[in-house]
Amino acid sequence: MKEVSFIWVLLMLLRSSSSAVNPCCYYPCENSGVCVRFGPEDYKCDCTRTGFNGQNCTNPEFWTRIYLMLKPSPTVVHFILTHFKWFWDLVNKTFLRGTIMRIVLTVRNELVPTPPTYNTKYGYLSWESYQNTSYYTRLLPPVPEDCPLPMGTKGKLVLPDVIMLTERFLKRQKFRPDPQGTNLMFAFMAQHFTHQFFKTSHKSKGGFTKALGHGVDASNIYGEDLKRQHQLRLHEDGKLKYQLISGEMYPPKVSEVPVHMVYPEDLPAEQRLAIGQEMFGLLPGLSMYATIWLREHNRVCDVLKAEHPTWDDEQLFQTTRLIIIGEIINIIIEEYVQHLSGYNLKLTYDPSLLFNVRFQYTNRIALEFCHLYHWHPLMPDSFLIDGDEIPYSQFLYNTTVLVHYGVEKLVDAFSRQPAGQIGGGRNIHELVLRVAQTIITEGRSARLQPFNQYRKKFNLKPYASFSELTDDTEMAHGLEELYGDIDALEFYPGLMLEKTRPNSIFGESMVEMGAPFSLKGLFGNPINSPEYWKPSTFGGETGFSIVKTSTLKKLVCLNTKWCPYVDFHVPGKEEEAEPRKPLMEL
C-alpha cells in the first residue's frame, strides 16, 4: 500500500512539474460561477444568472448588492427561529405561519438545482448526467483529475489514512447524548426512512445507486421492484401478507414469502422476516417500523374498502400506497424535521403553499446528501428495553426482540432512550465505525470537493482555520497535522467534526446543507403537485384526511393494543406524568 502511495505521489510530482496546473484546480469561480478551462493555463468563469460578474464572479450586480445588504446570515436566521418563543406562538396561530413557511421552502429549494447537473463521471453538464438515474447526482463537480494534490492545490500530497482518521477523531470515547433530547425512535426512523432512496452500489465505483426511485416512494415497505411488491402482497382487499403471533400482526416469514433478505446463514428460518427492504432484519428498530407500517397499510385498506366496496384489490392497494406516502411525508416534515430544526416556527405540510410559485415536482438524490446523512453517532452503546439491557452482540439480526417484547414496549423504550449527539466528533460506536470509513473512502473515489467549497455553495462563510472549525484544541492541531490546510479538509469529516451549535445535535453546516436537499425531496414528491393534491387521489375526503392529520402517535397507537409514550424526543417531566389517552382522542 505504501509503495502504491509513493508511486502515485511521484507521478503527480512529475505531472505538475512537466505541465501547467489546471486553473480550475484553484476553484477560482465564486458564487456558483462555473469554471471552464481554455488551453493549458487559461480559464473563464461563467457567471450567468449568479447575480455576480467579473473575472471570478466576485462583483455583485446592483440588485444583488442590495439583497446582500438586507439578507441576514444563516446564524442570525437560526437564532431568530430558535428564540422569541412568545412571538412564534403568535405567528403559528395566524396566516403568517404559511407565509413564512413558503419563504423557507422557496429559499431552501433554490439551493438545489433542478434539473440535476453533475455526477461522478462528468464534471460538466451532459445528457448522461441528466438522464442516467443509476448515478447519484451531485451539487459540485468532481475535483479535476489532473490537479497536483488530492483536494486541488492545497493540503498534503496524500490524504490521511482512513482507519487512523476515524479511530482518532470519530470513534466514541464516551457516549455523549444529544442535548436536544433526540431519542432512538428518531434514530430508527432516520434509518428506516432514508433507505427508500439511499441505496449506494458499493460494488460500482463512482457514486451509483441501486434504488430505482429518487424520493419518498415507500419502497422500503413495498419493495424496490414490481416482483418483490407482488411477492409481499396478499392480493386480496389491497393488503400485504402477514403472520399472526399471539393474535398480533407481524411481517410474514421468508419461508412463506421468498423475497431476498440479508440474514446470517445460521439464523433459524422461523426468525427470518420478509420485509420490503432487504436489510431491515438487521436491527429490531427497523423491523419494528416495518411492522407498524404493515399494520397501517392493512388498516387503511379496511377503511377504503368500507367506503368503496366496488373497488378491486389493485385500486385498494395503489390508493393505500399513496396515502401511506402522504403519511410518511407529513410525519417527517411536521415532527421529524421540526424536531431536528429546533425552530419555534411550527413547520407545516401544506403543498398548496407552493402552487403559485416556481417549483418542479421532480427529485434526484445527490451523493453529497447521501454522505451527509450517515448519522451513526445516534446509536447508543446498548439498548434498554423493559428493564433489560441488550448489547449490540445480541441486538443485531435478532428479530425475536420484536416478537418477545412487542411493538408497544419497543416504541416506549426507544422513545425514552436518548440517542447520541451527531456533531462534534468522537461519538461513533466502534461497531459501526467501518461505515464512516466506507463513506470517506467513497468520497475520495468520487473526488468530492473540499468541505469549504461546499460551505461557499450553501452561502456559508468558509472556515479560516481548523481551530475555527472545532472548539477542541487537540483535534484542531491533529487535523492541521494531517491535512495541512483547512481548504483541504474533506466533506464528510468536516460535517462530523464541526463544532455543534449551542445545545444542538450538530453544527451549522449539517443544517444549512441538509435542509435544502430534504425539503426539496419531500415537497418535490408528485403527490404534492396540483394535479395530485386533491381528495380523489386518496379515495375521497376520508383518505385525504388520513394524510393531512397523520402523526407519529396516531401511526403507532391506531395499530397497537395500548398506546405507549411515543415521540422523537425523550419525555420531559410533564410527559412522564401524562396519563395514557384513549384512541378516540388521537
Side-chain angles (χ1 to χ4, degrees):
M1 186 68 184
K2 291 182 179 179
E3 290 81 359
V4 173
S5 298
F6 175 77
I7 293 172
W8 181 87
V9 170
L10 184 61
L11 288 172
M12 294 305 296
L13 286 171
L14 288 172
R15 175 189 291 180
S16 60
S17 62
S18 61
S19 61
V21 174
N22 180 347
C24 293
C25 292
Y26 293 95
Y27 312 114
C29 307
E30 301 288 341
N31 302 301
S32 297
V34 179
C35 182
V36 182
R37 187 179 187 181
F38 290 89
E41 298 180 342
D42 294 333
Y43 74 95
K44 184 175 181 179
C45 291
D46 185 348
C47 309
T48 305
R49 286 184 292 279
T50 63
F52 293 82
N53 53 42
Q55 181 179 0
N56 293 332
C57 308
T58 54
N59 301 327
E61 297 170 357
F62 175 75
W63 289 113
T64 302
R65 193 181 300 275
I66 299 298
Y67 173 74
L68 293 175
M69 289 175 58
L70 298 175
K71 180 186 176 184
S73 69
T75 301
V76 171
V77 171
H78 184 80
F79 181 84
I80 293 172
L81 288 168
T82 54
H83 291 76
F84 313 110
K85 189 174 184 302
W86 61 269
F87 170 76
W88 292 109
D89 285 344
L90 293 174
V91 167
N92 291 332
K93 297 176 183 178
T94 69
F95 72 93
L96 290 174
R97 177 191 177 195
T99 301
I100 296 175
M101 184 69 187
R102 184 186 297 109
I103 294 171
V104 169
L105 290 172
T106 52
V107 169
R108 298 293 196 188
N109 173 63
E110 288 174 356
L111 292 169
V112 180
T114 303
T117 49
Y118 311 104
N119 62 24
T120 304
K121 184 175 182 179
Y122 297 98
Y124 48 88
L125 296 191
S126 67
W127 188 254
E128 180 75 3
S129 292
Y130 166 73
Q131 67 88 30
N132 190 344
T133 58
S134 60
Y135 279 103
Y136 286 116
T137 186
R138 55 194 296 167
L139 207 62
L140 292 179
V143 175
E145 290 183 319
D146 56 353
C147 291
L149 298 174
M151 302 305 287
T153 59
K154 295 184 178 181
K156 302 253 178 132
L157 286 168
V158 179
L159 291 171
D161 177 76
V162 171
I163 295 177
M164 181 271 293
L165 180 67
T166 55
E167 290 276 347
R168 184 173 175 183
F169 298 116
L170 294 179
K171 182 180 177 180
R172 177 173 294 158
Q173 298 177 338
K174 180 181 179 182
F175 176 73
R176 189 171 69 249
D178 170 39
Q180 275 185 229
T182 303
N183 59 25
L184 295 189
M185 197 66 181
F186 177 95
F188 287 124
M189 174 61 92
Q191 193 169 4
H192 187 276
F193 168 70
T194 57
H195 272 67
Q196 295 171 87
F197 41 79
F198 292 155
K199 299 180 72 174
T200 302
S201 177
H202 298 291
K203 294 180 180 179
S204 304
K205 292 184 179 180
F208 285 91
T209 174
K210 296 183 291 184
L212 299 180
H214 278 254
V216 181
D217 57 5
S219 58
N220 54 345
I221 301 170
Y222 303 110
E224 185 65 38
D225 55 38
L226 196 58
K227 179 181 177 181
R228 190 178 185 96
Q229 177 199 120
H230 281 289
Q231 288 176 312
L232 291 167
R233 285 173 60 178
L234 186 62
H235 294 291
E236 182 179 336
D237 297 335
K239 294 185 177 182
L240 296 172
K241 291 177 181 176
Y242 60 91
Q243 63 170 316
L244 291 177
I245 302 176
S246 300
E248 301 234 48
M249 185 184 297
Y250 289 94
K253 299 174 185 175
V254 173
S255 58
E256 298 171 353
V257 181
V259 296
H260 177 259
M261 292 292 297
V262 177
Y263 286 114
E265 292 183 1
D266 59 350
L267 190 72
E270 63 272 13
Q271 296 179 25
R272 297 173 180 240
L273 301 180
I275 300 171
Q277 221 285 348
E278 62 181 13
M279 289 295 299
F280 279 3
L282 173 65
L283 297 168
L286 300 178
S287 52
M288 173 200 71
Y289 268 115
T291 301
I292 293 170
W293 284 115
L294 164 67
R295 294 178 182 180
E296 175 67 0
H297 174 93
N298 288 352
R299 185 190 74 84
V300 173
C301 283
D302 286 335
V303 173
L304 289 180
K305 184 171 177 60
E307 287 211 341
H308 306 282
T310 62
W311 281 12
D312 61 12
D313 168 72
E314 188 68 17
Q315 188 165 6
L316 287 169
F317 171 82
Q318 297 295 348
T319 305
T320 297
R321 181 171 184 166
L322 292 177
I323 291 173
I324 295 298
I325 290 172
E327 287 190 75
I328 293 171
I329 295 175
N330 194 356
I331 291 170
I332 292 297
I333 291 174
E334 295 198 354
E335 297 183 73
Y336 178 99
V337 176
Q338 179 76 62
H339 169 75
L340 268 186
S341 70
Y343 292 168
N344 287 320
L345 168 67
K346 191 173 181 182
L347 304 182
T348 177
Y349 174 43
D350 182 2
S352 66
L353 292 173
L354 297 174
F355 286 175
N356 296 318
V357 300
R358 188 182 68 177
F359 190 80
Q360 296 187 34
Y361 293 94
T362 59
N363 190 57
R364 282 282 294 278
I365 298 298
L367 183 65
E368 296 97 337
F369 188 35
C370 178
H371 282 201
L372 171 152
Y373 224 118
H374 281 75
W375 295 346
H376 289 80
L378 288 169
M379 288 292 101
D381 292 333
S382 59
F383 302 86
L384 310 176
I385 306 172
D386 197 30
D388 300 325
E389 182 173 1
I390 305 176
Y392 263 99
S393 59
Q394 298 175 28
F395 199 70
L396 298 178
Y397 292 111
N398 190 350
T399 58
T400 63
V401 169
L402 171 66
V403 177
H404 174 73
Y405 292 101
V407 171
E408 295 89 346
K409 287 185 178 180
L410 288 189
V411 169
D412 194 81
F414 295 151
S415 295
R416 296 177 187 279
Q417 185 172 353
Q421 187 178 36
I422 296 171
R426 294 177 175 148
N427 205 23
I428 299 180
H429 193 284
E430 60 181 351
L431 288 181
V432 291
L433 194 62
R434 59 181 177 79
V435 181
Q437 294 166 359
T438 299
I439 293 303
I440 295 171
T441 301
E442 289 180 349
R444 293 176 180 182
S445 177
R447 307 194 314 281
L448 289 181
Q449 288 193 24
F451 179 57
N452 261 346
Q453 291 303 117
Y454 283 98
R455 292 268 304 174
K456 290 192 284 186
K457 179 63 178 177
F458 284 91
N459 301 319
L460 300 171
K461 182 181 177 182
Y463 286 116
S465 65
F466 287 102
S467 58
E468 189 179 358
L469 168 82
T470 173
D471 48 14
D472 185 318
T473 303
E474 187 275 329
M475 185 181 292
H477 289 320
L479 291 171
E480 178 80 40
E481 173 192 342
L482 293 176
Y483 283 100
D485 195 301
I486 186 65
D487 286 330
L489 179 64
E490 297 170 271
F491 179 66
Y492 184 71
L495 286 166
M496 300 303 290
L497 300 178
E498 181 182 38
K499 61 179 177 291
T500 61
R501 279 170 164 163
N503 299 313
S504 181
I505 191 168
F506 35 48
E508 174 187 57
S509 299
M510 189 78 80
V511 176
E512 299 303 320
M513 296 180 191
F517 287 124
S518 181
L519 292 174
K520 174 63 173 71
L522 291 166
F523 278 90
N525 194 286
I527 73 164
N528 298 323
S529 67
E531 288 299 318
Y532 277 65
W533 190 250
K534 59 185 73 171
S536 56
T537 301
F538 307 97
E541 289 292 350
T542 298
F544 205 19
S545 178
I546 291 174
V547 172
K548 293 191 290 185
T549 64
S550 56
T551 65
L552 181 66
K553 189 166 188 174
K554 278 188 177 181
L555 174 65
V556 170
C557 295
L558 291 175
N559 294 291
T560 50
K561 289 184 176 179
W562 52 274
C563 191
Y565 171 70
V566 52
D567 203 284
F568 289 138
H569 191 282
V570 293
K573 292 182 180 180
E574 295 180 2
E575 293 157 320
E576 287 279 13
E578 184 179 293
R580 293 175 185 164
K581 294 182 179 180
L583 295 183
M584 65 182 68
E585 293 185 25
L586 296 175

mmCIF file of all heavy atoms in Angstrom, residues 30-34 45-58 61:
data_model
loop_
_atom_site.group_PDB
_atom_site.id
_atom_site.type_symbol
_atom_site.label_atom_id
_atom_site.label_comp_id
_atom_site.label_asym_id
_atom_site.label_seq_id
_atom_site.Cartn_x
_atom_site.Cartn_y
_atom_site.Cartn_z
ATOM 1 N N GLU A 30 -16.248 32.103 -7.867
ATOM 2 C CA GLU A 30 -17.040 32.244 -6.646
ATOM 3 C C GLU A 30 -18.528 32.335 -6.983
ATOM 4 O O GLU A 30 -18.919 32.481 -8.147
ATOM 5 C CB GLU A 30 -16.597 33.500 -5.889
ATOM 6 C CG GLU A 30 -15.128 33.508 -5.492
ATOM 7 C CD GLU A 30 -14.813 32.537 -4.373
ATOM 8 O OE1 GLU A 30 -15.752 32.120 -3.657
ATOM 9 O OE2 GLU A 30 -13.630 32.171 -4.219
ATOM 10 N N ASN A 31 -19.358 32.240 -5.938
ATOM 11 C CA ASN A 31 -20.799 32.497 -6.058
ATOM 12 C C ASN A 31 -21.484 31.648 -7.134
ATOM 13 O O ASN A 31 -22.291 32.141 -7.928
ATOM 14 C CB ASN A 31 -21.050 33.989 -6.318
ATOM 15 C CG ASN A 31 -20.471 34.855 -5.228
ATOM 16 O OD1 ASN A 31 -20.838 34.713 -4.068
ATOM 17 N ND2 ASN A 31 -19.540 35.737 -5.586
ATOM 18 N N SER A 32 -21.130 30.373 -7.170
ATOM 19 C CA SER A 32 -21.715 29.389 -8.092
ATOM 20 C C SER A 32 -21.331 29.614 -9.553
ATOM 21 O O SER A 32 -21.973 29.065 -10.454
ATOM 22 C CB SER A 32 -23.246 29.346 -7.963
ATOM 23 O OG SER A 32 -23.621 28.912 -6.666
ATOM 24 N N GLY A 33 -20.310 30.410 -9.793
ATOM 25 C CA GLY A 33 -19.798 30.526 -11.151
ATOM 26 C C GLY A 33 -19.179 29.213 -11.602
ATOM 27 O O GLY A 33 -18.650 28.451 -10.791
ATOM 28 N N VAL A 34 -19.216 28.933 -12.894
ATOM 29 C CA VAL A 34 -18.723 27.671 -13.448
ATOM 30 C C VAL A 34 -17.381 27.888 -14.123
ATOM 31 O O VAL A 34 -17.248 28.739 -15.014
ATOM 32 C CB VAL A 34 -19.727 27.090 -14.465
ATOM 33 C CG1 VAL A 34 -19.186 25.789 -15.060
ATOM 34 C CG2 VAL A 34 -21.081 26.854 -13.805
ATOM 35 N N CYS A 45 -14.764 32.052 -16.003
ATOM 36 C CA CYS A 45 -15.867 31.766 -15.091
ATOM 37 C C CYS A 45 -17.175 32.195 -15.744
ATOM 38 O O CYS A 45 -17.328 33.359 -16.128
ATOM 39 C CB CYS A 45 -15.682 32.509 -13.767
ATOM 40 S SG CYS A 45 -14.309 31.894 -12.761
ATOM 41 N N ASP A 46 -18.087 31.265 -15.862
ATOM 42 C CA ASP A 46 -19.414 31.574 -16.393
ATOM 43 C C ASP A 46 -20.278 32.045 -15.217
ATOM 44 O O ASP A 46 -20.654 31.262 -14.342
ATOM 45 C CB ASP A 46 -20.014 30.328 -17.036
ATOM 46 C CG ASP A 46 -21.348 30.605 -17.721
ATOM 47 O OD1 ASP A 46 -21.918 31.689 -17.502
ATOM 48 O OD2 ASP A 46 -21.831 29.717 -18.463
ATOM 49 N N CYS A 47 -20.595 33.337 -15.212
ATOM 50 C CA CYS A 47 -21.335 33.945 -14.096
ATOM 51 C C CYS A 47 -22.829 34.088 -14.396
ATOM 52 O O CYS A 47 -23.549 34.791 -13.654
ATOM 53 C CB CYS A 47 -20.757 35.315 -13.761
ATOM 54 S SG CYS A 47 -18.964 35.352 -13.512
ATOM 55 N N THR A 48 -23.307 33.455 -15.455
ATOM 56 C CA THR A 48 -24.691 33.614 -15.891
ATOM 57 C C THR A 48 -25.683 33.345 -14.754
ATOM 58 O O THR A 48 -25.635 32.303 -14.097
ATOM 59 C CB THR A 48 -24.996 32.657 -17.061
ATOM 60 O OG1 THR A 48 -24.042 32.892 -18.102
ATOM 61 C CG2 THR A 48 -26.398 32.879 -17.588
ATOM 62 N N ARG A 49 -26.551 34.301 -14.528
ATOM 63 C CA ARG A 49 -27.634 34.222 -13.545
ATOM 64 C C ARG A 49 -27.145 33.934 -12.121
ATOM 65 O O ARG A 49 -27.882 33.389 -11.306
ATOM 66 C CB ARG A 49 -28.685 33.184 -13.969
ATOM 67 C CG ARG A 49 -29.561 33.675 -15.124
ATOM 68 C CD ARG A 49 -30.654 32.678 -15.458
ATOM 69 N NE ARG A 49 -30.119 31.452 -16.038
ATOM 70 C CZ ARG A 49 -29.781 31.310 -17.318
ATOM 71 N NH1 ARG A 49 -29.925 32.322 -18.157
ATOM 72 N NH2 ARG A 49 -29.302 30.169 -17.779
ATOM 73 N N THR A 50 -25.929 34.311 -11.816
ATOM 74 C CA THR A 50 -25.456 34.191 -10.436
ATOM 75 C C THR A 50 -25.697 35.469 -9.650
ATOM 76 O O THR A 50 -25.648 35.466 -8.416
ATOM 77 C CB THR A 50 -23.941 33.881 -10.399
ATOM 78 O OG1 THR A 50 -23.225 34.981 -10.985
ATOM 79 C CG2 THR A 50 -23.625 32.589 -11.148
ATOM 80 N N GLY A 51 -25.940 36.576 -10.375
ATOM 81 C CA GLY A 51 -26.074 37.872 -9.712
ATOM 82 C C GLY A 51 -24.734 38.548 -9.512
ATOM 83 O O GLY A 51 -24.650 39.595 -8.871
ATOM 84 N N PHE A 52 -23.664 37.928 -10.068
ATOM 85 C CA PHE A 52 -22.320 38.485 -9.935
ATOM 86 C C PHE A 52 -21.677 38.541 -11.319
ATOM 87 O O PHE A 52 -22.089 37.852 -12.248
ATOM 88 C CB PHE A 52 -21.465 37.628 -9.008
ATOM 89 C CG PHE A 52 -21.907 37.640 -7.574
ATOM 90 C CD1 PHE A 52 -22.950 36.816 -7.143
ATOM 91 C CD2 PHE A 52 -21.294 38.466 -6.651
ATOM 92 C CE1 PHE A 52 -23.363 36.820 -5.822
ATOM 93 C CE2 PHE A 52 -21.703 38.477 -5.319
ATOM 94 C CZ PHE A 52 -22.742 37.657 -4.910
ATOM 95 N N ASN A 53 -20.645 39.358 -11.447
ATOM 96 C CA ASN A 53 -19.861 39.404 -12.676
ATOM 97 C C ASN A 53 -18.397 39.599 -12.315
ATOM 98 O O ASN A 53 -18.017 39.527 -11.150
ATOM 99 C CB ASN A 53 -20.369 40.503 -13.622
ATOM 100 C CG ASN A 53 -20.459 41.862 -12.943
ATOM 101 O OD1 ASN A 53 -19.568 42.249 -12.189
ATOM 102 N ND2 ASN A 53 -21.544 42.587 -13.196
ATOM 103 N N GLY A 54 -17.558 39.858 -13.321
ATOM 104 C CA GLY A 54 -16.129 39.967 -13.095
ATOM 105 C C GLY A 54 -15.428 38.671 -13.457
ATOM 106 O O GLY A 54 -16.060 37.642 -13.705
ATOM 107 N N GLN A 55 -14.121 38.688 -13.452
ATOM 108 C CA GLN A 55 -13.339 37.536 -13.884
ATOM 109 C C GLN A 55 -13.672 36.280 -13.080
ATOM 110 O O GLN A 55 -13.764 35.190 -13.640
ATOM 111 C CB GLN A 55 -11.844 37.832 -13.758
ATOM 112 C CG GLN A 55 -10.961 36.668 -14.227
ATOM 113 C CD GLN A 55 -9.483 36.965 -14.114
ATOM 114 O OE1 GLN A 55 -9.100 38.041 -13.680
ATOM 115 N NE2 GLN A 55 -8.654 36.009 -14.507
ATOM 116 N N ASN A 56 -13.864 36.430 -11.782
ATOM 117 C CA ASN A 56 -14.131 35.278 -10.918
ATOM 118 C C ASN A 56 -15.515 35.326 -10.278
ATOM 119 O O ASN A 56 -15.759 34.682 -9.259
ATOM 120 C CB ASN A 56 -13.064 35.173 -9.829
ATOM 121 C CG ASN A 56 -11.702 34.838 -10.397
ATOM 122 O OD1 ASN A 56 -11.596 34.207 -11.449
ATOM 123 N ND2 ASN A 56 -10.649 35.270 -9.717
ATOM 124 N N CYS A 57 -16.423 36.077 -10.887
ATOM 125 C CA CYS A 57 -17.807 36.196 -10.381
ATOM 126 C C CYS A 57 -17.824 36.724 -8.949
ATOM 127 O O CYS A 57 -18.563 36.221 -8.090
ATOM 128 C CB CYS A 57 -18.543 34.847 -10.439
ATOM 129 S SG CYS A 57 -18.496 34.031 -12.049
ATOM 130 N N THR A 58 -17.030 37.738 -8.700
ATOM 131 C CA THR A 58 -16.939 38.285 -7.350
ATOM 132 C C THR A 58 -17.568 39.667 -7.212
ATOM 133 O O THR A 58 -17.705 40.173 -6.090
ATOM 134 C CB THR A 58 -15.472 38.374 -6.910
ATOM 135 O OG1 THR A 58 -14.740 39.101 -7.895
ATOM 136 C CG2 THR A 58 -14.865 36.983 -6.752
ATOM 137 N N GLU A 61 -23.862 42.421 -8.748
ATOM 138 C CA GLU A 61 -24.658 43.355 -9.527
ATOM 139 C C GLU A 61 -25.472 44.220 -8.571
ATOM 140 O O GLU A 61 -25.544 43.954 -7.363
ATOM 141 C CB GLU A 61 -25.568 42.574 -10.478
ATOM 142 C CG GLU A 61 -24.780 41.750 -11.501
ATOM 143 C CD GLU A 61 -25.650 40.796 -12.289
ATOM 144 O OE1 GLU A 61 -26.877 40.733 -12.001
ATOM 145 O OE2 GLU A 61 -25.125 40.090 -13.165
#
